[in-house]
Amino acid sequence: LSPSDCKSEAALPGDWPQTPPQDELLDELPKAETVERTLENGLKVVVVPNHEVPFATAMLGLKYGVWAENPEHPGAANMALSLLTKGTENYTAAELAEELEFNALTLDGSAGMDVSGVSATGLADKMELALKLMAEVVLRPTFPESEFEILRQQLLSSLSIREKDPNYLADRQLRKALYGQHPYART
């Protein structure tokens, strides 16, 4: 290629600005409108209204994440939260999955390093049902042994694949070097 073929030699049309447009920097971040209440049972509820779309998300935040696990049983928090939707006193895993799918809802639990939670999403007119199902999985989980075994096998397969991934191995070593015995060293 000759220098004339390179893009670096290309010029903008004459009427185009030579620098990209830039807004003034904000003094502070915009604040979202919120409505906050504390229920009689002490549960704090924060609502962030968005009337632009008929879609809603509900999140139940839990104070602790995987850092609070017993180090001799890593993964317990993730396993417990993953199993929440695998059976309750009133629903089998299949029944719950069918109810969620029929109503185009999602419901799942996850454990992060510092916090954990359960979330539900769906169309706004289905949120009453989504919250009912969220309460069901949080208050009445059964942790069926058959579902536990399925999840355990899936996780073992996933871990065996990760053990061959250079990115995973490098991340694990970096965490150990940075955090030593601290729970953040766990992957």
Side-chain angles (χ1 to χ4, degrees), residues 24-39:
E24 295 290 321
L25 293 176
L26 299 174
D27 290 332
E28 60 183 50
L29 292 174
K31 292 190 169 55
E33 173 191 344
T34 62
V35 179
E36 297 184 25
R37 301 279 188 275
T38 301
L39 303 180

Side-chain angles (χ1 to χ4, degrees), residues 48-92:
V48 183
N50 177 355
H51 303 288
E52 294 178 20
V53 293
F55 189 78
T57 300
M59 293 183 291
L60 174 64
L62 306 171
K63 261 184 166 178
Y64 299 104
V66 298
W67 69 267
E69 289 178 328
N70 180 337
E72 293 182 23
H73 301 289
N78 270 314
M79 290 285 282
L81 286 159
S82 295
L83 283 168
L84 284 180
T85 59
K86 301 302 182 185
T88 71
E89 292 173 8
N90 297 310
Y91 292 89
T92 65

